[in-house]
Amino acid sequence: MSFSFRSGALAAAVVLGIGASLASTVPAAAAPTVGLHCESETAVLSCDVRYADAERPVTIRWSVDNMQRPAWDDLTSVAQRCTVGQTYAVRVVVADPTGRTEAGQRVTCQRATP
């Protein structure tokens, strides 16, 4: 009887060890990967955000020169008229249940493509 008890204890230890090693190899979820592209042409500033590795629900929040743009919430492409020669600081925050990632770009308003 003591032999079967030890075998059962050994089997339980092996199963627990395998479970622990499998749990440690599962990668932890990470915040989304974000790419931001902005440009200006004909006195219009336009930006596109692309993201990957995100889990639903995803939120997108935009700001220009540190001013939030609620009308742009959750849009992947945005545009606004701009003053030629002025430089704008555009920032986007993409968030999901695993975290948030920010991206920013400075863009100078142009009359035509440089």
Side-chain angles (χ1 to χ4, degrees), residues 34-39 45-51 58-80 89-95 100-105 107:
V34 175
L36 174 64
H37 174 75
C38 296
E39 60 186 18
L45 172 68
S46 61
C47 296
D48 298 306
V49 65
R50 300 288 179 251
Y51 60 87
V58 176
T59 60
I60 302 171
R61 299 296 179 258
W62 294 90
S63 64
V64 177
D65 293 336
N66 293 317
M67 298 292 295
Q68 297 296 315
R69 297 295 172 109
W72 293 357
D73 283 357
D74 301 321
L75 299 176
T76 56
S77 296
V78 296
Q80 74 172 31
V90 179
R91 181 154 300 282
V92 65
V93 178
V94 178
R100 59 184 254 155
T101 304
E102 296 185 23
Q105 187 175 347
V107 182

